[in-house]
């Protein structure tokens, strides 16, 4: 079976985040931009992938079309055992363009699609190819967007708990915000604080110290630049609780540098950025070896979310991140919604388990 074509689909689905906002610099983001990677074969099977694209969908789409498609057309579809070698060769072929950022986002999309195809050929869900299935429902946490007001933060936390979520993550940078959330959710609900890389190490240590009584599970990406692993390690050693990072890292190689520096208690590979399922598996194996927990970065709604569910199905712990917002439509209907207990069911169909709704794709396609 050979790959006949690779297409990139830019899909933009509006959402409502209520009192919260999602910003990239000075610009507010009001829609979920996705780049779906469609890999077609001469046998009529189609695999679906997902390339990271928040505010760079046209760039990511171009990378898929200009770098990935020429590499993949005519390639024999590998089985699960053959995917790592095929993807390493593509990484080698494209290394001139960098092994981080847009290039790896595009490679991630192809890798996920190849795993989807490999599982469909075998007639099994992806998680069956990845190892022993340990869970068929993954606990989700509500990833709140930036709110600012402690009163509104407390109210949104209570709403999320009422919907069944068993853990909360903030995107806040003030101590009152952290304590407002803790007071709202009580002492036993896990609380995470994502800072998005704003501080020097000394400032991050001071912030962590000021939040210690709120007992966060971890402080996520507190320092700039995010690849300053020595600074992260210092925050971790002096801050009094866990440090998480990794959504901005690509490849197992960079995660190895991070973990060997002692920078993180929780590693956060993003399957649509790190290099796909193949690189995620390498990162997870390394984390297990070094005693680091895996908490994936997964605030997206395309095939990458399905891939994350399959990956977590093979692990005893780890939460799936869900953006706390109301989307106008979903590629998968309501099948990826969390249930009343705050869990999301792992898909059981062949491949990633679900096919994207073509009607939704056409309605929200950006040409």
């Amino acid at each position: 079976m050979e790959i006949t074509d690779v297409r990139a689909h830019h899909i933009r689905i509006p959402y409502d985040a209520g009192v919260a906002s999602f910003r990239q610099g000075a610009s507010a983001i009001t829609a979920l931009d996705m780049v779906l990677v469609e890999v077609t074969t001469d046998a009529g099977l189609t695999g679906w992938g997902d390339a990271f694209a928040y505010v760079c969908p046209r760039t990511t789409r171009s990378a898929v079309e200009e770098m990935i498609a020429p590499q993949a057309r005519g390639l024999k579809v590998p089985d699960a055992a053959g995917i790592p070698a095929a993807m390493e060769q593509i990484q080698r072929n494209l290394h001139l363009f960098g092994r981080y950022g847009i290039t790896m986002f595009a490679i991630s999309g192809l890798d996920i699609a190849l795993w989807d195809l490999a599982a469909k050929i075998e007639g099994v869900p992806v998680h069956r190819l990845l190892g022993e299935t340990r869970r068929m429902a993954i606990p989700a946490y509500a990833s709140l967007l930036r709110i600012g007001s402690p009163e509104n933060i407390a109210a949104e936390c209570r709403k999320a708990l009422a919907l069944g979520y068993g853990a909360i993550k903030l995107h806040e940078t003030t101590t009152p915000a952290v304590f407002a959330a803790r007071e709202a959710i009580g002492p036993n609900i896990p609380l995470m604080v994502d800072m998005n890389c704003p501080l020097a190490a000394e400032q991050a240590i001071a912030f962590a110290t000021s939040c210690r009584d709120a007992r966060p599970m971890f402080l996520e990406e507190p320092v700039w630049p995010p690849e300053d692993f020595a600074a992260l390690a210092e925050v971790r050693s002096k801050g009094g609780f866990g440090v998480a990072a990794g959504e901005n890292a690509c490849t197992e190689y960079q995660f190895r540098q991070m973990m060997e520096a002692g920078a993180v208690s929780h590693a956060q590979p993003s399957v649509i950025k790190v290099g796909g399922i193949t690189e995620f598996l390498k990162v997870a194996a390394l984390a297990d070896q070094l005693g680091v927990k895996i908490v994936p970065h997964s605030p997206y709604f395309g095939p990458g979310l399905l891939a994350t569910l399959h990956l977590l199905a093979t692990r005893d712990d780890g939460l799936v991140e869900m953006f706390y917002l109301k989307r106008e439509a979903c590629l998968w209907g309501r099948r990826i919604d969390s249930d009343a207990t705050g869990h999301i069911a792992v898909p059981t169909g062949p491949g990633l388990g679900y096919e994207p709704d073509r009607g939704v794709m056409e309605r929200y396609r950006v040409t």
Side-chain angles (χ1 to χ4, degrees):
M1 185 186 304
E2 290 188 356
I3 294 173
T4 55
D5 201 9
V6 176
R7 296 183 62 202
H9 304 271
H10 177 192
I11 311 299
R12 174 178 292 159
I13 299 179
Y15 67 81
D16 178 7
V19 297
S21 68
F22 182 23
R23 307 188 72 83
Q24 185 72 24
S27 301
I29 301 172
T30 59
L32 303 166
D33 279 288
M34 295 176 274
V35 172
L36 273 61
V37 179
E38 180 183 15
V39 177
T40 53
T41 69
D42 58 4
L45 279 181
T46 297
W48 293 95
D50 199 344
F52 184 76
Y54 276 1
V55 296
C56 57
R58 292 175 180 83
T59 309
T60 299
R61 179 177 177 175
S62 294
V64 172
E65 293 172 343
E66 296 178 1
M67 290 195 287
I68 299 302
Q71 295 288 325
R73 291 191 190 104
L75 182 72
K76 183 178 179 181
V77 177
D79 60 12
I83 291 175
M87 295 310 302
E88 178 171 337
Q89 187 59 57
I90 288 176
Q91 285 194 34
R92 287 174 177 266
N93 293 349
L94 297 175
H95 79 276
L96 180 65
F97 309 103
R99 296 182 65 241
Y100 306 98
I102 297 294
T103 304
M104 289 306 300
F105 302 169
I107 285 174
S108 299
L110 175 63
D111 181 88
I112 294 167
L114 290 183
W115 281 97
D116 187 29
L117 279 170
K120 285 174 177 173
I121 291 169
E122 295 295 326
V124 299
V126 165
H127 63 263
R128 290 276 298 278
L129 300 182
L130 303 181
E132 180 184 354
T133 303
R134 299 178 182 273
R135 299 184 290 177
M136 288 306 297
I138 309 301
Y141 70 84
S143 187
L144 275 60
L145 304 185
R146 184 67 59 86
I147 297 172
S149 159
E151 294 78 12
N152 287 337
I153 289 168
E156 293 304 297
C157 285
R158 288 190 287 267
K159 290 177 185 177
L161 293 187
L163 291 174
Y165 287 104
I168 301 289
K169 185 164 83 176
L170 307 177
H171 286 80
E172 305 291 343
T173 58
T174 69
T175 303
V178 178
F179 278 93
R182 173 53 73 199
E183 183 176 355
I185 65 179
N188 299 320
I189 298 293
L191 176 66
M192 298 152 273
V193 183
D194 188 349
M195 302 193 74
N196 295 122
C197 317
L199 304 175
E202 296 79 9
Q203 294 171 311
I205 292 166
F207 181 82
T209 302
S210 71
C211 293
R212 194 174 295 169
D213 288 345
R215 293 179 294 105
M217 178 192 298
F218 57 67
L219 198 62
E220 180 176 337
E221 290 198 321
V223 305
W224 177 263
E227 63 271 23
D228 188 344
F229 301 140
L232 280 173
E234 186 179 6
V235 175
R236 183 184 175 196
S237 66
K238 297 179 180 178
F241 49 88
V243 168
E247 70 173 86
N248 286 305
C250 296
T251 76
E252 181 265 353
Y253 185 80
Q254 192 173 35
F255 273 92
R256 181 178 293 276
Q257 294 176 316
M258 180 192 306
M259 294 183 202
E260 289 182 346
V264 292
S265 56
H266 297 74
Q268 297 176 298
S270 172
V271 74
I272 66 175
K273 300 174 79 174
V274 71
I277 290 173
T278 300
E279 290 291 333
F280 189 109
L281 290 170
K282 295 177 186 177
V283 172
L286 178 65
D288 292 343
Q289 175 187 336
L290 298 179
V292 175
K293 292 185 178 296
I294 290 288
V295 182
H297 177 257
S298 62
Y300 28 75
F301 296 89
L305 177 58
L306 303 187
T308 301
L309 293 171
H310 285 283
L311 286 158
L312 286 173
T314 67
R315 304 186 61 80
D316 290 320
D317 60 0
L319 309 171
V320 62
E321 180 178 11
M322 293 295 289
F323 261 173
Y324 186 68
L325 48 77
K326 295 178 181 178
R327 56 191 183 272
E328 189 172 292
C330 181
L331 293 167
W332 324 108
R334 300 189 61 85
R335 291 175 290 187
I336 60 164
D337 290 350
S338 60
D339 64 19
T341 68
H343 288 69
I344 300 177
V346 178
T348 58
L352 291 173
Y354 307 134
E355 295 294 301
D357 186 322
R358 294 275 188 175
V360 172
M361 286 180 62
E362 291 308 315
R363 180 180 176 187
Y364 295 98
R365 180 185 301 279
V366 178
T367 58

